[in-house]
Amino acid sequence: MTKRMIIMLVIATVIFGGILGFLIFRGIMIKNFIASMGEPPQTVTSMVVGYKDWEPALHAVGSLKALKGTDITPQLAGIVSEIPFKSDSEVKEGDLLVKLANEDDVAKLKALEADADLARLTYDRSKQLVKSRAVSQAQLDTSTATLKSAMAQVAAQQALVNKKEIRAPFSGHVGIRLVDIGQYLTAGQKITTLQALDPIYVDFTLSQSDVSKVSTGQSVVISTDAYPDTSFTGKIIALDPKLDPATRNIAVRAELANPDRKLLPGMFASVKVITGAEEKKLTLPQTAITYNPYGETVFLVKKGKPGADGKVPLIAEQKFITTGTTRGDEVAITKGISDGDTVVVSGQLKLKNGTSLIINNDQSLPVEAAPNSQDQ
């Protein structure tokens, strides 16, 4: 190796060593600069915690059912001859709704009534004559049996005639008429529906864990999307004596006044069962709480150390809490936060202790104590 080559090798080593040293120094400087700058602040929404009126209640989904309700159908087939009722109207118990042609049946009834009258005359005559021994006791017994048979035939024929007249089994509201005069009806064919609407029932279920909290006489409040700004109150009137073994739920029925007939059978309803007196509790929206296997946490908004410019930054502080009962979008908090604390409501997934915060509540979501469910 010549002297010239040695000199060139030394120069190349020096150059590459200088470049490598510069890059290492530059990396260290960038790392220190980033460390000095800290993490970028995160934008979140927040709320100030305060006490709210909290009414202990159970929530369920129910279905409305008429106090009495049935589809009006004929027991016998026949041709419609009369329809005295009007669609969407009130009827009284016993009112004639539909009459089927029954001329032949009525004629047969009259013939049987005539036979029954003759049998009664024969019986009365035999009863008088047996006293004077003009007829035997056996003949009187025959007359008695003939009379009873004739009366039974009259009753059977009268029942047949009555079945051709379909009457309201109870007072209520009839629906749309589904038949016309002259139409041939088969047995069991629907004519209309009859519903007693005031009062009205709401049927719903509660879980096994809630059985001890409900009893007959408790107040309930229901709402339905048909009348979103109106609530209806009632009382529990019955609980099933056993739970459904498949779901471990208990069936509950409540009764509500319905004088305006706003509530209709088959409607979907959100049900709230009042289980205690109103009290004050600290609450948070469910979105503010992070649920973990080791416990529930929230992020509080705290003031950090003043910077070089004198400004006091806002930082996140994670804290464990103890949750209570739930009401709609809200959760009662029994331990971990205090009245007046500021809590991060959304955006906490990107936070950790000490993260700088920017508060922007312009896009805050509403928190509903009783959100309306949709029947879809």
Side-chain angles (χ1 to χ4, degrees):
M1 181 179 295
T2 64
K3 184 177 180 180
R4 183 186 179 119
M5 292 178 65
I6 294 173
I7 294 173
M8 290 181 66
L9 182 60
V10 171
I11 293 172
T13 302
V14 172
I15 292 173
F16 282 113
I19 294 173
L20 181 60
F22 174 75
L23 292 175
I24 292 173
F25 176 76
R26 183 172 177 270
I28 293 173
M29 292 298 293
I30 292 173
K31 183 177 180 180
N32 291 338
F33 176 76
I34 292 174
S36 66
M37 291 295 293
E39 294 183 359
Q42 301 294 336
T43 301
V44 297
T45 61
S46 66
M47 67 169 287
V48 177
V49 181
Y51 283 99
K52 285 188 176 181
D53 293 331
W54 189 272
E55 189 175 51
L58 302 174
H59 296 269
V61 173
S63 181
L64 296 177
K65 184 181 184 298
L67 177 69
K68 298 177 184 177
T70 186
D71 289 338
I72 303 299
T73 60
Q75 293 183 351
L76 303 173
I79 296 175
V80 178
S81 61
E82 292 182 36
I83 307 178
F85 81 95
K86 293 182 179 180
S87 298
D88 191 21
S89 63
E90 297 289 329
V91 296
K92 299 293 185 182
E93 181 179 352
D95 285 354
L96 180 64
L97 301 179
V98 170
K99 183 177 180 180
L100 303 180
N102 62 355
E103 292 80 3
D104 294 344
D105 299 312
V106 172
K108 185 175 181 180
L109 175 62
K110 291 181 179 180
L112 292 173
E113 288 175 340
D115 292 341
D117 290 342
L118 178 60
R120 180 172 296 280
L121 290 173
T122 302
Y123 167 76
D124 291 340
R125 188 179 299 111
S126 297
K127 189 176 180 180
Q128 293 297 325
L129 293 175
V130 77
K131 295 178 181 179
S132 60
R133 300 183 182 276
V135 297
S136 64
Q137 182 63 41
Q139 189 172 349
L140 176 61
D141 293 341
T142 301
S143 298
T144 302
T146 302
L147 175 60
K148 289 181 178 180
S149 176
M151 292 176 64
Q153 292 182 59
V154 170
Q157 188 62 25
Q158 183 65 61
L160 183 64
V161 171
N162 292 344
K163 288 179 180 178
K164 294 291 183 75
E165 296 179 349
I166 298 95
R167 298 181 179 273
F170 52 85
S171 299
H173 196 92
V174 289
I176 297 173
R177 175 169 59 86
L178 302 176
V179 299
D180 296 304
I181 292 178
Q183 181 178 344
Y184 179 81
L185 299 184
T186 58
Q189 183 175 341
K190 184 177 177 180
I191 296 171
T192 187
T193 185
L194 175 62
Q195 306 288 325
L197 302 178
D198 184 27
I200 196 168
Y201 295 143
V202 58
D203 291 340
F204 56 97
T205 59
L206 295 172
S207 67
Q208 174 178 304
S209 60
D210 296 327
V211 170
S212 62
K213 303 174 185 176
V214 294
S215 61
T216 55
Q218 279 181 292
S219 298
V220 300
V221 180
I222 78 160
S223 59
T224 176
D225 54 5
Y227 306 100
D229 300 325
T230 306
S231 59
F232 305 86
T233 60
K235 291 187 179 296
I236 293 176
I237 60 170
L239 294 90
D240 253 358
K242 72 169 188 176
L243 274 67
D244 184 337
T247 62
R248 307 301 176 191
N249 289 340
I250 185 171
V252 185
R253 172 170 288 179
E255 184 178 280
L256 305 98
N258 189 31
D260 298 329
R261 274 59 169 185
K262 289 184 176 181
L263 301 175
L264 301 177
M267 272 186 174
F268 161 92
S270 296
V271 183
K272 180 173 71 172
V273 182
I274 310 302
T275 59
E278 193 172 74
E279 53 189 344
K280 298 282 188 181
K281 286 193 176 183
L282 293 173
T283 67
L284 285 176
Q286 296 197 48
T287 57
I289 303 170
T290 302
Y291 295 88
N292 303 294
Y294 50 82
E296 289 74 49
T297 63
V298 297
F299 279 98
L300 301 181
V301 178
K302 295 290 187 177
K303 292 182 178 180
K305 296 181 180 179
D309 57 359
K311 293 183 179 180
V312 179
L314 298 177
I315 62 172
E317 180 184 307
Q318 192 174 33
K319 195 162 187 181
F320 284 95
I321 60 170
T322 302
T323 59
T325 54
T326 300
R327 180 183 68 177
D329 297 335
E330 296 179 308
V331 180
I333 309 300
T334 60
K335 186 178 180 182
I337 58 173
S338 303
D339 185 20
D341 284 346
T342 302
V343 176
V344 175
V345 176
S346 64
Q348 65 269 45
L349 294 179
K350 52 193 174 183
L351 303 182
K352 62 182 182 181
N353 273 321
T355 301
S356 296
L357 302 177
I358 297 176
I359 306 300
N360 181 5
N361 293 329
D362 292 340
Q363 302 299 323
S364 297
L365 295 175
V367 179
E368 308 240 352
N372 287 325
S373 301
Q374 298 296 323
D375 184 16
Q376 296 180 346

